[in-house]
């Protein structure tokens, strides 16, 4: 396990690589090339599907006569993915990441096929649920692969590659999905992706089997060379699954689903599922996240908390930007979407910056800067409600905000692997993803409720349509609180390392 003290204090860092050849290796060197291309391609396909499905979903729901349950096509994915994350963490820590990764990709592809061939909306929603289970299995397993197969000095680079793989889908995905939907039909948006998974699997699976398969033998103390070499698999028998964590995973999935259901209808009746959801969610979150996460305890708990705060504030604000530009400034949906397109490139740039070896000693400071940029970008958004303010301000502000997110999100992944023992990488990676996804849902629900309460109209999942003109104050009620949440994240960045004990 890598030292969790601040750099330069406590345990001495490991020396530089002992051989020139090893020191010159990169994620695209011969020994890592197949693995890197394979796993990044998997992320690329998942990213493309995530960007494309929003365009095809309205057409699918209308054809399947399912507009009334439109939101469940999204919430079904989210709730099952939470369970998949916990299951994947357990599975990867005990048996290695190969099993959950293979099963996850299979479930993801099966869900796409089920949705793409559905003749009724309930089958479509079921397919999205199966797809979410697969997505949750895959994302955590990929983190474990990175922790096991790559030495510490290469992990920032592969995390930056993960972030960069979202750039092209964020720009091309909606356009390509729209063209396929119009020319071939919405079903091909779902049915076309499973066939593309074969090549990444052929590249990655043999490398994963060689480098990262099997359980890891727990080590009682850090090894002096642990930061320059990936952990090795041991031959000890794999422990059994933690049934309590599996039950908590069911609880967090069901609780999140009930809260999302309640947030869709601001009525007295919605208090019943909301209370039930909270009753399930609170103990489940306490049991699945590191102890002290929501008290911002120094070290791993604050890393997990920061991931949720950063992702939640950013996504909740971003979801309402296209709606604001369409309803308040008269832009077409296409132009409103393009106002956020540059962010994909600057996000990748931020991820690239954090991966540079020379900035490693300043990682925490860069993350503070990143969260401040996110807060400033969100704070800028309400200004566009004034007609005299040019709309291109949104594109500029969001480009800076996405650069900040690139600094923060990839760095939380790197720090999580640094602060996790090899045999805990799966469980902790699952906690990181749960914090990300759960905070997204909760802040989106809170923002949507505030938006509707202040005259925002009825908003769907993508926040691109409304039944009535939205009141400007409704957007302010979303953006300013999210900017405040981002500033809380800037404070959390000061607690990512344990305090140094002197004497």
């Amino acid at each position: 396990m890598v030292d969790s003290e601040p750099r330069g204090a406590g345990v001495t860092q490991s020396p530089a690589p002992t051989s020139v050849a090893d020191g010159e290796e990169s994620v695209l060197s011969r020994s890592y090339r197949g693995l890197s291309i394979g796993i990044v391609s998997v992320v690329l396909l998942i990213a493309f599907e995530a960007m494309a499905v929003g365009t095809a979903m309205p057409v699918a729901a209308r054809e399947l006569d399912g507009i009334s349950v439109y939101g469940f096509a999204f919430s079904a994915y989210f709730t099952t993915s939470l369970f998949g994350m916990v299951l994947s963490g357990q599975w990867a820590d005990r048996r290695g990441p190969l099993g959950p990764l293979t099963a996850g990709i299979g479930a993801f592809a099966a869900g796409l096929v089920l949705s793409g061939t559905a003749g009724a909306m309930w089958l479509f929603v079921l397919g999205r649920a199966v797809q979410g289970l697969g997505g949750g299995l895959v994302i955590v397993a990929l983190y474990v692969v990175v922790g096991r197969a790559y030495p510490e000095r290469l992990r920032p680079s592969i995390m930056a590659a993960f972030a960069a793989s979202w750039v092209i889908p964020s720009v091309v995905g909606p356009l390509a999905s729209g063209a396929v939907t119009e020319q071939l039909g919405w079903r091909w948006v779902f049915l076309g992706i499973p066939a593309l998974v074969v090549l990444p699997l052929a590249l990655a699976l043999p490398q994963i089997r060689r480098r990262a398969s099997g359980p890891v033998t727990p080590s009682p103390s850090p090894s002096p060379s642990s930061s320059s070499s990936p952990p090795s698999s041991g031959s000890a028998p794999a422990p059994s699954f933690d049934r309590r964590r599996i039950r908590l995973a069911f609880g967090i999935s069901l609780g999140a689903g009930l809260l999302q259901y309640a947030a869709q209808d601001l009525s007295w009746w919605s208090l019943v599922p909301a209370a039930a959801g909270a009753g399930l969610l609170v103990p489940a979150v306490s049991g699945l996240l590191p102890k002290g996460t929501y008290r911002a305890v120094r070290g791993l708990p604050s890393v997990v908390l920061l991931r949720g705060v950063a992702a939640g504030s950013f996504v909740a604000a971003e979801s309402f930007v296209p709606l604001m530009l369409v309803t308040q400034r008269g832009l077409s949906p296409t132009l409103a979407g393009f106002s956020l397109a540059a962010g994909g490139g600057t996000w990748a740039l931020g991820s690239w910056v954090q991966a540079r070896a020379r900035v490693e000693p300043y990682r925490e400071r860069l993350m503070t800067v990143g969260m401040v940029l996110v807060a400033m970008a969100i704070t800028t958004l309400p200004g566009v409600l004034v007609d005299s303010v040019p709309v291109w301000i949104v594109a500029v502000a969001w480009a800076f905000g996405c650069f900040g997110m690139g600094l923060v999100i990839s760095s939380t992944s790197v720090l999580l692997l640094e602060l996790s023992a090899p045999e805990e990488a799966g469980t902790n990676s699952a906690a990181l993803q749960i914090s990300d996804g759960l905070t997204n849902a909760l802040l989106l629900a809170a923002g949507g409720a505030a938006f509707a309460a202040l005259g925002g109209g009825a908003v769907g999942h993508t926040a691109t349509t409304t039944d009535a003109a939205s009141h400007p104050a409704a957007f302010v009620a979303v953006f300013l609180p999210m900017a405040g949440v981002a500033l809380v994240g800037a404070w959390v960045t000061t607690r990512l390392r344990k305090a140094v004990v002197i004497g």
Side-chain angles (χ1 to χ4, degrees):
M1 184 175 73
V2 180
D3 169 37
S4 60
E5 298 291 329
R7 285 165 178 74
V11 180
T12 304
Q13 297 296 305
S14 59
T18 55
S19 68
V20 176
D22 181 59
E24 292 177 348
E25 279 193 325
S26 70
V27 295
L28 291 179
S29 297
R30 179 182 299 178
S31 55
Y32 294 105
R33 187 180 301 144
L35 176 62
S36 298
I37 293 175
I39 62 177
V40 170
S41 296
V42 170
V43 176
L44 178 68
L45 291 174
I46 292 176
F48 185 84
E49 188 278 336
M51 294 294 104
V53 71
T55 303
M57 193 75 75
V59 180
R62 184 170 61 247
E63 182 176 313
L64 296 174
D65 194 24
I67 295 296
S68 61
V69 293
Y70 178 78
F72 289 104
F74 293 96
S75 60
Y77 183 100
F78 171 74
T79 54
T80 55
S81 69
L82 286 175
F83 177 76
M85 291 171 189
V86 178
L87 179 60
S88 183
Q90 293 270 303
W91 195 346
D93 282 343
R94 286 154 176 75
R95 311 289 169 82
L98 185 62
L101 181 62
T102 305
I105 291 175
F108 190 81
L112 286 169
V113 172
L114 184 56
S115 291
T117 58
M121 191 63 182
W122 71 270
L123 280 173
F124 184 87
V125 172
L126 178 61
R128 291 288 291 163
V130 174
Q131 190 182 342
L133 176 64
L137 288 169
V138 168
I139 189 63
V140 172
L142 286 177
Y143 272 60
V144 178
V145 168
V146 171
R148 292 194 184 189
Y150 294 88
E152 182 185 335
R153 58 190 170 74
L154 293 183
R155 292 173 193 164
S157 296
I158 196 65
M159 291 299 180
F162 282 177
S165 66
W166 282 80
V167 176
I168 294 177
S170 67
V171 177
V172 177
L175 295 177
S177 175
V180 171
T181 300
E182 292 177 7
Q183 301 300 321
L184 300 177
W186 65 267
R187 296 182 184 277
W188 287 103
V189 174
F190 294 88
L191 296 176
I193 294 177
L196 301 178
V197 177
V198 176
L199 179 59
L201 285 180
L203 288 171
L205 291 185
Q207 293 292 324
I208 295 172
R209 183 177 293 107
R210 182 168 66 90
R211 292 178 173 274
S213 62
V216 172
T217 303
S219 175
S221 60
S223 169
S225 61
S226 61
S227 63
S228 60
S229 301
S232 58
S233 299
S235 58
S240 60
F241 281 67
D242 186 338
R243 294 183 180 179
R244 175 178 174 273
R245 291 185 68 85
I246 299 299
R247 289 195 299 270
L248 290 175
F250 274 116
I252 200 172
S253 297
L254 181 57
L258 288 171
L259 283 175
Q260 290 178 80
Y261 174 81
Q264 293 181 20
D265 180 23
L266 295 179
S267 65
W268 288 109
W269 160 248
S270 66
L271 293 177
V272 176
L280 289 169
L281 204 58
V282 172
V285 169
S286 299
L288 292 173
L289 299 187
K291 186 177 181 180
T293 294
Y294 288 110
R295 291 185 288 111
V297 170
R298 289 185 178 274
L300 183 64
S302 286
V303 173
V304 173
L305 175 62
L306 177 62
R307 178 60 165 261
V309 168
S313 60
F314 182 87
V315 170
E318 184 182 51
S319 297
F320 288 87
V321 173
L323 179 63
M324 177 183 68
L325 295 178
V326 170
T327 62
Q328 302 299 312
R329 298 304 299 265
L331 270 65
S332 68
T334 300
L335 286 177
F338 271 125
S339 68
L340 305 178
T346 56
W347 189 311
L349 178 61
S351 298
W352 179 84
V353 169
Q354 66 80 36
R356 301 304 92 196
R358 67 182 64 182
V359 306
E360 177 63 24
Y362 312 102
R363 181 177 297 281
E364 288 78 11
R365 295 180 187 177
L366 283 176
M367 296 171 77
T368 304
V369 171
M371 289 310 304
V372 171
L373 287 175
V374 172
M376 291 175 62
I378 297 174
T379 304
T380 303
L381 296 176
V384 182
L385 294 167
V386 179
D387 290 339
S388 60
V389 176
V391 293
W392 55 260
I393 291 294
V394 170
V396 174
W398 217 240
F400 278 98
C402 287
F403 178 78
M405 287 294 287
L407 293 174
V408 173
I409 296 300
S410 294
S411 289
T412 57
S413 303
V414 172
L415 286 177
L416 177 110
L417 293 174
E418 287 184 10
L419 299 175
S420 299
E423 67 274 10
E424 297 173 348
T427 297
N428 290 341
S429 296
L432 190 75
Q433 295 300 324
I434 289 170
S435 178
D436 186 320
L438 185 61
T439 310
N440 281 347
L442 294 180
L443 290 182
L444 271 170
F451 184 80
L454 289 178
V459 180
H461 176 86
T462 56
T464 58
T465 61
T466 183
D467 293 337
S470 302
H471 194 283
F475 293 101
V476 177
V478 173
F479 294 139
L480 293 188
M482 296 310 156
V485 173
L487 286 177
V488 171
W491 170 76
V492 176
T493 62
T494 66
R495 303 181 61 79
L496 302 179
R497 294 285 181 180
K498 292 183 177 179
V500 181
V501 179
I502 300 177

